[in-house]
Amino acid sequence: MPLFRIVYVSEAAGPAASGLMPLVDIIGVSDRNNRRDQLTGVLMRHEGRFLQVLEGARVDLDRTLARVRSDGRHTNLAVLSDRRVEARIFPDWAMARVEATPDVARLLSADIDQDDRDAALDRLLTDLSLTAAGAV
Ligand SMILES: Cc1cc2nc3c(=O)[nH]c(=O)nc-3n(C[C@H](O)[C@H](O)[C@H](O)COP(=O)(O)O)c2cc1C
């Protein structure tokens, strides 16, 4: 079954923009659903914005992203990357919350050009791979 990985950013809305409870709620439901759907990934929130990485089969990703897109807890969802990949970065994480890295802040800023964005995204995914592998 071909694997795909999506990375998107969005703007948190209302209570989801700060505080721990909204995040705990999102992670809890995502963990349950993503286990069922064999999706894996991470969610970060930084200064009122989200960055999420989701990986899995096309049909499951599309169904979940459609649900996530219409969630009122965020707006302006923009997909940064959606491509076929050979392997999962997060085989053991149905949905984990991780700390934002400086590259996340860069990716979330509006005035970033395409080359910088691609480089920052590459670095972010490399850092996350190390974190997921337990190296840091
Ligand atoms: C930033 C963000 C990320 C989310 N990520 C996921 C996810 O990875 N998987 C998921 O099932 N729901 C995710 N959700 C929640 C969905 O939008 C939706 O509320 C949920 O899937 C509904 O699940 P239910 O039908 O089981 O209640 C996310 C919501 C937000 C705001």
Side-chain angles (χ1 to χ4, degrees), residues 108-128:
L108 290 173
S109 85
D111 55 349
I112 182 170
D113 69 36
Q114 191 64 47
D115 286 351
D116 288 348
R117 170 169 296 167
D118 291 346
L121 191 53
D122 277 353
R123 280 195 305 269
L124 173 65
L125 292 174
T126 303
D127 286 350
L128 289 172

Side-chain angles (χ1 to χ4, degrees), residues 8 10 26 29-34 36-37 39 43 50 52 54 64 67-69 71 73-74 94-95:
Y8 77 79
S10 65
I26 292 169
V29 171
S30 300
D31 183 72
R32 190 191 66 214
N33 289 342
N34 294 358
R36 177 194 65 202
D37 299 335
L39 295 178
L43 178 65
F50 290 115
Q52 189 172 31
L54 265 175
T64 295
R67 236 173 28 243
V68 169
R69 262 186 198 285
D71 192 316
R73 289 173 289 188
H74 60 174
M95 190 46 56

Side-chain angles (χ1 to χ4, degrees), residues 84-97:
R84 191 171 167 182
V85 293
E86 288 307 314
R88 291 177 193 259
I89 296 179
F90 314 105
D92 302 324
W93 296 352
M95 190 46 56
R97 187 169 73 91

